[in-house]
PDB file of all heavy atoms in Angstrom:
ATOM      1  N   LEU O 151      -7.235   5.335  13.803  1.00 98.00           N
ATOM      2  CA  LEU O 151      -7.861   6.650  13.813  1.00 98.00           C
ATOM      3  C   LEU O 151      -6.808   7.705  14.136  1.00 98.00           C
ATOM      4  O   LEU O 151      -6.052   7.567  15.103  1.00 98.00           O
ATOM      5  CB  LEU O 151      -8.980   6.682  14.855  1.00 98.00           C
ATOM      6  CG  LEU O 151      -9.670   8.021  15.098  1.00 98.00           C
ATOM      7  CD1 LEU O 151     -10.411   8.476  13.847  1.00 98.00           C
ATOM      8  CD2 LEU O 151     -10.615   7.910  16.286  1.00 98.00           C
ATOM      9  N   VAL O 152      -6.774   8.751  13.336  1.00 98.00           N
ATOM     10  CA  VAL O 152      -5.811   9.826  13.542  1.00 98.00           C
ATOM     11  C   VAL O 152      -6.495  11.154  13.234  1.00 98.00           C
ATOM     12  O   VAL O 152      -7.416  11.211  12.415  1.00 98.00           O
ATOM     13  CB  VAL O 152      -4.563   9.617  12.647  1.00 98.00           C
ATOM     14  CG1 VAL O 152      -4.933   9.683  11.174  1.00 98.00           C
ATOM     15  CG2 VAL O 152      -3.468  10.595  12.982  1.00 98.00           C
ATOM     16  N   GLN O 153      -6.048  12.191  13.906  1.00 98.00           N
ATOM     17  CA  GLN O 153      -6.599  13.515  13.638  1.00 98.00           C
ATOM     18  C   GLN O 153      -5.961  14.124  12.389  1.00 98.00           C
ATOM     19  O   GLN O 153      -4.831  13.770  12.017  1.00 98.00           O
ATOM     20  CB  GLN O 153      -6.363  14.438  14.829  1.00 98.00           C
ATOM     21  CG  GLN O 153      -7.188  14.091  16.059  1.00 98.00           C
ATOM     22  CD  GLN O 153      -7.062  15.139  17.156  1.00 98.00           C
ATOM     23  OE1 GLN O 153      -6.057  15.830  17.241  1.00 98.00           O
ATOM     24  NE2 GLN O 153      -8.079  15.237  17.978  1.00 98.00           N
ATOM     25  N   ALA O 154      -6.678  15.020  11.764  1.00 98.00           N
ATOM     26  CA  ALA O 154      -6.134  15.721  10.611  1.00 98.00           C
ATOM     27  C   ALA O 154      -4.806  16.377  10.985  1.00 98.00           C
ATOM     28  O   ALA O 154      -4.680  16.961  12.071  1.00 98.00           O
ATOM     29  CB  ALA O 154      -7.120  16.763  10.111  1.00 98.00           C
ATOM     30  N   GLY O 155      -3.842  16.243  10.087  1.00 98.00           N
ATOM     31  CA  GLY O 155      -2.506  16.752  10.360  1.00 98.00           C
ATOM     32  C   GLY O 155      -1.593  15.736  11.007  1.00 98.00           C
ATOM     33  O   GLY O 155      -0.379  15.957  11.087  1.00 98.00           O
ATOM     34  N   GLY O 156      -2.157  14.628  11.446  1.00 98.00           N
ATOM     35  CA  GLY O 156      -1.375  13.593  12.104  1.00 98.00           C
ATOM     36  C   GLY O 156      -0.702  12.658  11.128  1.00 98.00           C
ATOM     37  O   GLY O 156      -0.712  12.887   9.903  1.00 98.00           O
ATOM     38  N   SER O 157      -0.112  11.593  11.663  1.00 98.00           N
ATOM     39  CA  SER O 157       0.632  10.669  10.835  1.00 98.00           C
ATOM     40  C   SER O 157       0.378   9.226  11.257  1.00 98.00           C
ATOM     41  O   SER O 157      -0.011   8.943  12.397  1.00 98.00           O
ATOM     42  CB  SER O 157       2.124  10.975  10.899  1.00 98.00           C
ATOM     43  OG  SER O 157       2.596  10.835  12.229  1.00 98.00           O
ATOM     44  N   LEU O 158       0.595   8.327  10.316  1.00 98.00           N
ATOM     45  CA  LEU O 158       0.514   6.885  10.539  1.00 98.00           C
ATOM     46  C   LEU O 158       1.538   6.201   9.656  1.00 98.00           C
ATOM     47  O   LEU O 158       1.934   6.757   8.614  1.00 98.00           O
ATOM     48  CB  LEU O 158      -0.876   6.343  10.168  1.00 98.00           C
ATOM     49  CG  LEU O 158      -2.035   6.467  11.144  1.00 98.00           C
ATOM     50  CD1 LEU O 158      -3.310   5.925  10.488  1.00 98.00           C
ATOM     51  CD2 LEU O 158      -1.760   5.746  12.449  1.00 98.00           C
ATOM     52  N   ARG O 159       1.939   5.006  10.053  1.00 98.00           N
ATOM     53  CA  ARG O 159       2.757   4.182   9.183  1.00 98.00           C
ATOM     54  C   ARG O 159       2.076   2.833   9.017  1.00 98.00           C
ATOM     55  O   ARG O 159       1.858   2.107  10.000  1.00 98.00           O
ATOM     56  CB  ARG O 159       4.178   3.979   9.721  1.00 98.00           C
ATOM     57  CG  ARG O 159       5.065   3.287   8.681  1.00 98.00           C
ATOM     58  CD  ARG O 159       6.480   3.040   9.160  1.00 98.00           C
ATOM     59  NE  ARG O 159       6.587   1.868  10.011  1.00 98.00           N
ATOM     60  CZ  ARG O 159       7.706   1.172  10.198  1.00 98.00           C
ATOM     61  NH1 ARG O 159       8.812   1.542   9.589  1.00 98.00           N
ATOM     62  NH2 ARG O 159       7.720   0.124  11.003  1.00 98.00           N
ATOM     63  N   LEU O 160       1.769   2.511   7.786  1.00 98.00           N
ATOM     64  CA  LEU O 160       1.209   1.199   7.463  1.00 98.00           C
ATOM     65  C   LEU O 160       2.334   0.245   7.117  1.00 98.00           C
ATOM     66  O   LEU O 160       3.335   0.641   6.515  1.00 98.00           O
ATOM     67  CB  LEU O 160       0.245   1.298   6.284  1.00 98.00           C
ATOM     68  CG  LEU O 160      -0.924   2.281   6.431  1.00 98.00           C
ATOM     69  CD1 LEU O 160      -1.813   2.209   5.192  1.00 98.00           C
ATOM     70  CD2 LEU O 160      -1.706   2.028   7.678  1.00 98.00           C
ATOM     71  N   SER O 161       2.132  -1.000   7.492  1.00 98.00           N
ATOM     72  CA  SER O 161       3.093  -2.053   7.170  1.00 98.00           C
ATOM     73  C   SER O 161       2.386  -3.154   6.397  1.00 98.00           C
ATOM     74  O   SER O 161       1.195  -3.394   6.587  1.00 98.00           O
ATOM     75  CB  SER O 161       3.704  -2.640   8.439  1.00 98.00           C
ATOM     76  OG  SER O 161       4.410  -1.670   9.174  1.00 98.00           O
ATOM     77  N   CYS O 162       3.138  -3.818   5.546  1.00 98.00           N
ATOM     78  CA  CYS O 162       2.622  -4.940   4.778  1.00 98.00           C
ATOM     79  C   CYS O 162       3.672  -6.046   4.831  1.00 98.00           C
ATOM     80  O   CYS O 162       4.790  -5.862   4.341  1.00 98.00           O
ATOM     81  CB  CYS O 162       2.341  -4.531   3.343  1.00 98.00           C
ATOM     82  SG  CYS O 162       1.847  -5.889   2.258  1.00 98.00           S
ATOM     83  N   ALA O 163       3.306  -7.160   5.432  1.00 98.00           N
ATOM     84  CA  ALA O 163       4.193  -8.304   5.526  1.00 98.00           C
ATOM     85  C   ALA O 163       3.862  -9.290   4.416  1.00 98.00           C
ATOM     86  O   ALA O 163       2.698  -9.671   4.239  1.00 98.00           O
ATOM     87  CB  ALA O 163       4.031  -8.976   6.885  1.00 98.00           C
ATOM     88  N   ALA O 164       4.885  -9.694   3.677  1.00 97.00           N
ATOM     89  CA  ALA O 164       4.693 -10.604   2.547  1.00 97.00           C
ATOM     90  C   ALA O 164       5.321 -11.955   2.834  1.00 97.00           C
ATOM     91  O   ALA O 164       6.435 -12.028   3.362  1.00 97.00           O
ATOM     92  CB  ALA O 164       5.311 -10.006   1.291  1.00 97.00           C
ATOM     93  N   SER O 165       4.611 -13.007   2.496  1.00 95.00           N
ATOM     94  CA  SER O 165       5.175 -14.349   2.600  1.00 95.00           C
ATOM     95  C   SER O 165       5.686 -14.768   1.236  1.00 95.00           C
ATOM     96  O   SER O 165       5.408 -14.141   0.223  1.00 95.00           O
ATOM     97  CB  SER O 165       4.091 -15.327   3.061  1.00 95.00           C
ATOM     98  OG  SER O 165       3.105 -15.455   2.056  1.00 95.00           O
ATOM     99  N   GLY O 166       6.430 -15.841   1.181  1.00 85.00           N
ATOM    100  CA  GLY O 166       6.916 -16.346  -0.091  1.00 85.00           C
ATOM    101  C   GLY O 166       8.356 -15.948  -0.356  1.00 85.00           C
ATOM    102  O   GLY O 166       8.943 -15.143   0.364  1.00 85.00           O
ATOM    103  N   ARG O 167       8.884 -16.500  -1.436  1.00 84.00           N
ATOM    104  CA  ARG O 167      10.276 -16.272  -1.778  1.00 84.00           C
ATOM    105  C   ARG O 167      10.415 -15.228  -2.877  1.00 84.00           C
ATOM    106  O   ARG O 167       9.447 -14.846  -3.513  1.00 84.00           O
ATOM    107  CB  ARG O 167      10.919 -17.589  -2.233  1.00 84.00           C
ATOM    108  CG  ARG O 167      10.946 -18.655  -1.156  1.00 84.00           C
ATOM    109  CD  ARG O 167      11.580 -19.935  -1.673  1.00 84.00           C
ATOM    110  NE  ARG O 167      10.753 -20.568  -2.695  1.00 84.00           N
ATOM    111  CZ  ARG O 167      11.100 -21.687  -3.318  1.00 84.00           C
ATOM    112  NH1 ARG O 167      12.267 -22.243  -3.072  1.00 84.00           N
ATOM    113  NH2 ARG O 167      10.295 -22.233  -4.213  1.00 84.00           N
ATOM    114  N   ALA O 168      11.649 -14.796  -3.095  1.00 91.00           N
ATOM    115  CA  ALA O 168      11.964 -13.856  -4.175  1.00 91.00           C
ATOM    116  C   ALA O 168      11.104 -12.603  -4.108  1.00 91.00           C
ATOM    117  O   ALA O 168      10.533 -12.168  -5.114  1.00 91.00           O
ATOM    118  CB  ALA O 168      11.816 -14.557  -5.534  1.00 91.00           C
ATOM    119  N   PHE O 169      11.015 -12.043  -2.948  1.00 94.00           N
ATOM    120  CA  PHE O 169      10.180 -10.852  -2.750  1.00 94.00           C
ATOM    121  C   PHE O 169      10.609  -9.708  -3.667  1.00 94.00           C
ATOM    122  O   PHE O 169       9.785  -8.912  -4.116  1.00 94.00           O
ATOM    123  CB  PHE O 169      10.274 -10.433  -1.289  1.00 94.00           C
ATOM    124  CG  PHE O 169       9.464  -9.229  -0.931  1.00 94.00           C
ATOM    125  CD1 PHE O 169       8.084  -9.208  -1.101  1.00 94.00           C
ATOM    126  CD2 PHE O 169      10.073  -8.102  -0.406  1.00 94.00           C
ATOM    127  CE1 PHE O 169       7.325  -8.098  -0.769  1.00 94.00           C
ATOM    128  CE2 PHE O 169       9.326  -6.983  -0.056  1.00 94.00           C
ATOM    129  CZ  PHE O 169       7.950  -6.977  -0.246  1.00 94.00           C
ATOM    130  N   SER O 170      11.893  -9.625  -3.951  1.00 93.00           N
ATOM    131  CA  SER O 170      12.395  -8.528  -4.790  1.00 93.00           C
ATOM    132  C   SER O 170      11.935  -8.638  -6.239  1.00 93.00           C
ATOM    133  O   SER O 170      12.128  -7.710  -7.018  1.00 93.00           O
ATOM    134  CB  SER O 170      13.918  -8.472  -4.732  1.00 93.00           C
ATOM    135  OG  SER O 170      14.477  -9.689  -5.212  1.00 93.00           O
ATOM    136  N   ASN O 171      11.335  -9.770  -6.612  1.00 93.00           N
ATOM    137  CA  ASN O 171      10.782  -9.920  -7.964  1.00 93.00           C
ATOM    138  C   ASN O 171       9.407  -9.267  -8.109  1.00 93.00           C
ATOM    139  O   ASN O 171       8.834  -9.281  -9.194  1.00 93.00           O
ATOM    140  CB  ASN O 171      10.643 -11.400  -8.326  1.00 93.00           C
ATOM    141  CG  ASN O 171      11.968 -12.024  -8.707  1.00 93.00           C
ATOM    142  OD1 ASN O 171      12.903 -11.319  -9.070  1.00 93.00           O
ATOM    143  ND2 ASN O 171      12.053 -13.343  -8.624  1.00 93.00           N
ATOM    144  N   TYR O 172       8.919  -8.720  -7.015  1.00 95.00           N
ATOM    145  CA  TYR O 172       7.585  -8.120  -7.023  1.00 95.00           C
ATOM    146  C   TYR O 172       7.675  -6.621  -6.830  1.00 95.00           C
ATOM    147  O   TYR O 172       8.242  -6.144  -5.835  1.00 95.00           O
ATOM    148  CB  TYR O 172       6.719  -8.713  -5.922  1.00 95.00           C
ATOM    149  CG  TYR O 172       6.359 -10.158  -6.137  1.00 95.00           C
ATOM    150  CD1 TYR O 172       7.213 -11.174  -5.743  1.00 95.00           C
ATOM    151  CD2 TYR O 172       5.150 -10.503  -6.729  1.00 95.00           C
ATOM    152  CE1 TYR O 172       6.884 -12.504  -5.950  1.00 95.00           C
ATOM    153  CE2 TYR O 172       4.809 -11.827  -6.937  1.00 95.00           C
ATOM    154  CZ  TYR O 172       5.680 -12.821  -6.542  1.00 95.00           C
ATOM    155  OH  TYR O 172       5.347 -14.134  -6.739  1.00 95.00           O
ATOM    156  N   ALA O 173       7.102  -5.877  -7.763  1.00 95.00           N
ATOM    157  CA  ALA O 173       6.819  -4.479  -7.491  1.00 95.00           C
ATOM    158  C   ALA O 173       5.640  -4.456  -6.515  1.00 95.00           C
ATOM    159  O   ALA O 173       4.764  -5.320  -6.570  1.00 95.00           O
ATOM    160  CB  ALA O 173       6.453  -3.752  -8.772  1.00 95.00           C
ATOM    161  N   MET O 174       5.639  -3.486  -5.630  1.00 96.00           N
ATOM    162  CA  MET O 174       4.597  -3.415  -4.609  1.00 96.00           C
ATOM    163  C   MET O 174       3.843  -2.105  -4.708  1.00 96.00           C
ATOM    164  O   MET O 174       4.421  -1.062  -5.056  1.00 96.00           O
ATOM    165  CB  MET O 174       5.218  -3.546  -3.226  1.00 96.00           C
ATOM    166  CG  MET O 174       5.959  -4.855  -2.989  1.00 96.00           C
ATOM    167  SD  MET O 174       4.899  -6.306  -3.096  1.00 96.00           S
ATOM    168  CE  MET O 174       3.812  -6.025  -1.699  1.00 96.00           C
ATOM    169  N   GLY O 175       2.576  -2.168  -4.415  1.00 97.00           N
ATOM    170  CA  GLY O 175       1.759  -0.964  -4.466  1.00 97.00           C
ATOM    171  C   GLY O 175       0.841  -0.863  -3.263  1.00 97.00           C
ATOM    172  O   GLY O 175       0.532  -1.860  -2.610  1.00 97.00           O
ATOM    173  N   TRP O 176       0.447   0.365  -2.993  1.00 98.00           N
ATOM    174  CA  TRP O 176      -0.598   0.638  -2.018  1.00 98.00           C
ATOM    175  C   TRP O 176      -1.771   1.274  -2.768  1.00 98.00           C
ATOM    176  O   TRP O 176      -1.581   2.196  -3.571  1.00 98.00           O
ATOM    177  CB  TRP O 176      -0.118   1.597  -0.932  1.00 98.00           C
ATOM    178  CG  TRP O 176       0.800   0.982   0.083  1.00 98.00           C
ATOM    179  CD1 TRP O 176       2.157   1.007   0.086  1.00 98.00           C
ATOM    180  CD2 TRP O 176       0.417   0.245   1.246  1.00 98.00           C
ATOM    181  NE1 TRP O 176       2.649   0.324   1.173  1.00 98.00           N
ATOM    182  CE2 TRP O 176       1.598  -0.150   1.911  1.00 98.00           C
ATOM    183  CE3 TRP O 176      -0.806  -0.130   1.805  1.00 98.00           C
ATOM    184  CZ2 TRP O 176       1.603  -0.883   3.096  1.00 98.00           C
ATOM    185  CZ3 TRP O 176      -0.813  -0.863   2.986  1.00 98.00           C
ATOM    186  CH2 TRP O 176       0.371  -1.226   3.616  1.00 98.00           C
ATOM    187  N   PHE O 177      -2.946   0.772  -2.471  1.00 98.00           N
ATOM    188  CA  PHE O 177      -4.180   1.324  -3.009  1.00 98.00           C
ATOM    189  C   PHE O 177      -5.104   1.625  -1.836  1.00 98.00           C
ATOM    190  O   PHE O 177      -4.886   1.153  -0.719  1.00 98.00           O
ATOM    191  CB  PHE O 177      -4.865   0.312  -3.938  1.00 98.00           C
ATOM    192  CG  PHE O 177      -4.156   0.117  -5.247  1.00 98.00           C
ATOM    193  CD1 PHE O 177      -2.990  -0.617  -5.330  1.00 98.00           C
ATOM    194  CD2 PHE O 177      -4.657   0.678  -6.413  1.00 98.00           C
ATOM    195  CE1 PHE O 177      -2.317  -0.796  -6.546  1.00 98.00           C
ATOM    196  CE2 PHE O 177      -4.018   0.510  -7.634  1.00 98.00           C
ATOM    197  CZ  PHE O 177      -2.854  -0.221  -7.690  1.00 98.00           C
ATOM    198  N   ARG O 178      -6.139   2.402  -2.101  1.00 98.00           N
ATOM    199  CA  ARG O 178      -7.123   2.679  -1.053  1.00 98.00           C
ATOM    200  C   ARG O 178      -8.505   2.751  -1.668  1.00 98.00           C
ATOM    201  O   ARG O 178      -8.677   3.053  -2.846  1.00 98.00           O
ATOM    202  CB  ARG O 178      -6.793   3.972  -0.323  1.00 98.00           C
ATOM    203  CG  ARG O 178      -6.891   5.238  -1.162  1.00 98.00           C
ATOM    204  CD  ARG O 178      -6.374   6.439  -0.372  1.00 98.00           C
ATOM    205  NE  ARG O 178      -6.488   7.680  -1.137  1.00 98.00           N
ATOM    206  CZ  ARG O 178      -6.003   8.846  -0.715  1.00 98.00           C
ATOM    207  NH1 ARG O 178      -5.360   8.937   0.454  1.00 98.00           N
ATOM    208  NH2 ARG O 178      -6.173   9.930  -1.460  1.00 98.00           N
ATOM    209  N   GLN O 179      -9.491   2.469  -0.817  1.00 98.00           N
ATOM    210  CA  GLN O 179     -10.880   2.520  -1.255  1.00 98.00           C
ATOM    211  C   GLN O 179     -11.737   3.122  -0.168  1.00 98.00           C
ATOM    212  O   GLN O 179     -11.810   2.578   0.940  1.00 98.00           O
ATOM    213  CB  GLN O 179     -11.383   1.126  -1.617  1.00 98.00           C
ATOM    214  CG  GLN O 179     -12.755   1.127  -2.271  1.00 98.00           C
ATOM    215  CD  GLN O 179     -13.097  -0.198  -2.915  1.00 98.00           C
ATOM    216  OE1 GLN O 179     -12.486  -1.234  -2.634  1.00 98.00           O
ATOM    217  NE2 GLN O 179     -14.059  -0.188  -3.816  1.00 98.00           N
ATOM    218  N   ALA O 180     -12.336   4.249  -0.486  1.00 96.00           N
ATOM    219  CA  ALA O 180     -13.250   4.919   0.426  1.00 96.00           C
ATOM    220  C   ALA O 180     -14.668   4.419   0.167  1.00 96.00           C
ATOM    221  O   ALA O 180     -14.970   3.937  -0.923  1.00 96.00           O
ATOM    222  CB  ALA O 180     -13.174   6.425   0.225  1.00 96.00           C
ATOM    223  N   PRO O 181     -15.559   4.542   1.151  1.00 92.00           N
ATOM    224  CA  PRO O 181     -16.937   4.080   0.975  1.00 92.00           C
ATOM    225  C   PRO O 181     -17.602   4.722  -0.233  1.00 92.00           C
ATOM    226  O   PRO O 181     -17.540   5.942  -0.408  1.00 92.00           O
ATOM    227  CB  PRO O 181     -17.617   4.515   2.276  1.00 92.00           C
ATOM    228  CG  PRO O 181     -16.522   4.563   3.264  1.00 92.00           C
ATOM    229  CD  PRO O 181     -15.310   5.041   2.504  1.00 92.00           C
ATOM    230  N   GLY O 182     -18.186   3.891  -1.079  1.00 94.00           N
ATOM    231  CA  GLY O 182     -18.877   4.393  -2.250  1.00 94.00           C
ATOM    232  C   GLY O 182     -17.997   4.805  -3.404  1.00 94.00           C
ATOM    233  O   GLY O 182     -18.492   5.333  -4.406  1.00 94.00           O
ATOM    234  N   LYS O 183     -16.700   4.592  -3.263  1.00 96.00           N
ATOM    235  CA  LYS O 183     -15.773   4.996  -4.325  1.00 96.00           C
ATOM    236  C   LYS O 183     -14.990   3.785  -4.836  1.00 96.00           C
ATOM    237  O   LYS O 183     -14.906   2.757  -4.175  1.00 96.00           O
ATOM    238  CB  LYS O 183     -14.808   6.060  -3.812  1.00 96.00           C
ATOM    239  CG  LYS O 183     -15.481   7.365  -3.431  1.00 96.00           C
ATOM    240  CD  LYS O 183     -14.457   8.430  -3.099  1.00 96.00           C
ATOM    241  CE  LYS O 183     -15.121   9.764  -2.793  1.00 96.00           C
ATOM    242  NZ  LYS O 183     -14.114  10.823  -2.478  1.00 96.00           N
ATOM    243  N   GLU O 184     -14.413   3.952  -6.006  1.00 96.00           N
ATOM    244  CA  GLU O 184     -13.590   2.897  -6.579  1.00 96.00           C
ATOM    245  C   GLU O 184     -12.227   2.859  -5.892  1.00 96.00           C
ATOM    246  O   GLU O 184     -11.759   3.856  -5.344  1.00 96.00           O
ATOM    247  CB  GLU O 184     -13.418   3.120  -8.086  1.00 96.00           C
ATOM    248  CG  GLU O 184     -14.709   2.957  -8.878  1.00 96.00           C
ATOM    249  CD  GLU O 184     -14.465   3.003 -10.369  1.00 96.00           C
ATOM    250  OE1 GLU O 184     -13.321   3.273 -10.783  1.00 96.00           O
ATOM    251  OE2 GLU O 184     -15.421   2.778 -11.126  1.00 96.00           O
ATOM    252  N   ARG O 185     -11.608   1.711  -5.976  1.00 97.00           N
ATOM    253  CA  ARG O 185     -10.256   1.573  -5.444  1.00 97.00           C
ATOM    254  C   ARG O 185      -9.321   2.447  -6.258  1.00 97.00           C
ATOM    255  O   ARG O 185      -9.370   2.446  -7.497  1.00 97.00           O
ATOM    256  CB  ARG O 185      -9.820   0.109  -5.505  1.00 97.00           C
ATOM    257  CG  ARG O 185      -8.544  -0.194  -4.769  1.00 97.00           C
ATOM    258  CD  ARG O 185      -8.337  -1.686  -4.635  1.00 97.00           C
ATOM    259  NE  ARG O 185      -9.409  -2.332  -3.876  1.00 97.00           N
ATOM    260  CZ  ARG O 185      -9.366  -3.590  -3.454  1.00 97.00           C
ATOM    261  NH1 ARG O 185      -8.297  -4.341  -3.710  1.00 97.00           N
ATOM    262  NH2 ARG O 185     -10.378  -4.106  -2.781  1.00 97.00           N
ATOM    263  N   GLU O 186      -8.440   3.196  -5.587  1.00 97.00           N
ATOM    264  CA  GLU O 186      -7.541   4.104  -6.286  1.00 97.00           C
ATOM    265  C   GLU O 186      -6.094   3.866  -5.885  1.00 97.00           C
ATOM    266  O   GLU O 186      -5.791   3.467  -4.758  1.00 97.00           O
ATOM    267  CB  GLU O 186      -7.917   5.564  -6.000  1.00 97.00           C
ATOM    268  CG  GLU O 186      -7.724   6.017  -4.583  1.00 97.00           C
ATOM    269  CD  GLU O 186      -7.918   7.529  -4.408  1.00 97.00           C
ATOM    270  OE1 GLU O 186      -8.137   8.241  -5.405  1.00 97.00           O
ATOM    271  OE2 GLU O 186      -7.829   7.989  -3.264  1.00 97.00           O
ATOM    272  N   PHE O 187      -5.237   4.138  -6.840  1.00 98.00           N
ATOM    273  CA  PHE O 187      -3.808   4.001  -6.642  1.00 98.00           C
ATOM    274  C   PHE O 187      -3.299   5.060  -5.673  1.00 98.00           C
ATOM    275  O   PHE O 187      -3.713   6.221  -5.726  1.00 98.00           O
ATOM    276  CB  PHE O 187      -3.106   4.139  -7.989  1.00 98.00           C
ATOM    277  CG  PHE O 187      -1.609   4.258  -7.892  1.00 98.00           C
ATOM    278  CD1 PHE O 187      -0.818   3.149  -7.660  1.00 98.00           C
ATOM    279  CD2 PHE O 187      -1.005   5.490  -8.040  1.00 98.00           C
ATOM    280  CE1 PHE O 187       0.562   3.264  -7.568  1.00 98.00           C
ATOM    281  CE2 PHE O 187       0.372   5.626  -7.955  1.00 98.00           C
ATOM    282  CZ  PHE O 187       1.157   4.508  -7.719  1.00 98.00           C
ATOM    283  N   VAL O 188      -2.369   4.652  -4.800  1.00 98.00           N
ATOM    284  CA  VAL O 188      -1.750   5.582  -3.862  1.00 98.00           C
ATOM    285  C   VAL O 188      -0.251   5.715  -4.145  1.00 98.00           C
ATOM    286  O   VAL O 188       0.257   6.818  -4.347  1.00 98.00           O
ATOM    287  CB  VAL O 188      -1.960   5.119  -2.407  1.00 98.00           C
ATOM    288  CG1 VAL O 188      -1.208   6.027  -1.444  1.00 98.00           C
ATOM    289  CG2 VAL O 188      -3.440   5.076  -2.074  1.00 98.00           C
ATOM    290  N   ALA O 189       0.463   4.594  -4.144  1.00 98.00           N
ATOM    291  CA  ALA O 189       1.914   4.634  -4.318  1.00 98.00           C
ATOM    292  C   ALA O 189       2.406   3.268  -4.773  1.00 98.00           C
ATOM    293  O   ALA O 189       1.755   2.257  -4.524  1.00 98.00           O
ATOM    294  CB  ALA O 189       2.599   5.026  -3.012  1.00 98.00           C
ATOM    295  N   ALA O 190       3.559   3.260  -5.431  1.00 97.00           N
ATOM    296  CA  ALA O 190       4.177   2.012  -5.869  1.00 97.00           C
ATOM    297  C   ALA O 190       5.682   2.115  -5.718  1.00 97.00           C
ATOM    298  O   ALA O 190       6.253   3.212  -5.741  1.00 97.00           O
ATOM    299  CB  ALA O 190       3.805   1.689  -7.311  1.00 97.00           C
ATOM    300  N   ILE O 191       6.300   0.947  -5.601  1.00 96.00           N
ATOM    301  CA  ILE O 191       7.756   0.892  -5.468  1.00 96.00           C
ATOM    302  C   ILE O 191       8.260  -0.299  -6.268  1.00 96.00           C
ATOM    303  O   ILE O 191       7.631  -1.369  -6.289  1.00 96.00           O
ATOM    304  CB  ILE O 191       8.172   0.800  -3.986  1.00 96.00           C
ATOM    305  CG1 ILE O 191       9.679   0.934  -3.831  1.00 96.00           C
ATOM    306  CG2 ILE O 191       7.639  -0.468  -3.334  1.00 96.00           C
ATOM    307  CD1 ILE O 191      10.106   1.179  -2.370  1.00 96.00           C
ATOM    308  N   SER O 192       9.370  -0.128  -6.945  1.00 94.00           N
ATOM    309  CA  SER O 192       9.925  -1.199  -7.755  1.00 94.00           C
ATOM    310  C   SER O 192      10.486  -2.305  -6.862  1.00 94.00           C
ATOM    311  O   SER O 192      10.682  -2.114  -5.659  1.00 94.00           O
ATOM    312  CB  SER O 192      11.015  -0.657  -8.669  1.00 94.00           C
ATOM    313  OG  SER O 192      12.077  -0.107  -7.901  1.00 94.00           O
ATOM    314  N   GLY O 193      10.776  -3.438  -7.480  1.00 93.00           N
ATOM    315  CA  GLY O 193      11.264  -4.592  -6.725  1.00 93.00           C
ATOM    316  C   GLY O 193      12.556  -4.308  -5.963  1.00 93.00           C
ATOM    317  O   GLY O 193      12.745  -4.803  -4.848  1.00 93.00           O
ATOM    318  N   SER O 194      13.411  -3.514  -6.538  1.00 92.00           N
ATOM    319  CA  SER O 194      14.681  -3.184  -5.887  1.00 92.00           C
ATOM    320  C   SER O 194      14.520  -2.106  -4.831  1.00 92.00           C
ATOM    321  O   SER O 194      15.396  -1.927  -3.982  1.00 92.00           O
ATOM    322  CB  SER O 194      15.692  -2.707  -6.936  1.00 92.00           C
ATOM    323  OG  SER O 194      15.255  -1.482  -7.498  1.00 92.00           O
ATOM    324  N   GLY O 195      13.416  -1.372  -4.929  1.00 93.00           N
ATOM    325  CA  GLY O 195      13.205  -0.252  -4.017  1.00 93.00           C
ATOM    326  C   GLY O 195      13.797   1.053  -4.493  1.00 93.00           C
ATOM    327  O   GLY O 195      13.634   2.083  -3.833  1.00 93.00           O
TER     328      GLY O 195
END
């Protein structure tokens, strides 16, 4: 929970090998809404 104007950092820990072979994305879903794209990053970063 954060107030408007505030900040947060989300983390995602991945298991498995060859992590750099995966492009990664963040999506979000609000109540009653479809899942939507937020951000993506290539395998190399």
Side-chain angles (χ1 to χ4, degrees):
L151 175 64
V152 63
Q153 290 188 333
S157 61
L158 279 177
R159 189 181 80 156
L160 304 182
S161 298
C162 174
S165 67
R167 297 179 293 179
F169 180 60
S170 61
N171 283 339
Y172 292 85
M174 299 298 295
W176 285 96
F177 288 75
R178 66 187 182 186
Q179 188 166 17
K183 295 187 177 181
E184 293 188 354
R185 190 168 299 190
E186 66 172 356
F187 170 78
V188 175
I191 188 167
S192 61
S194 66

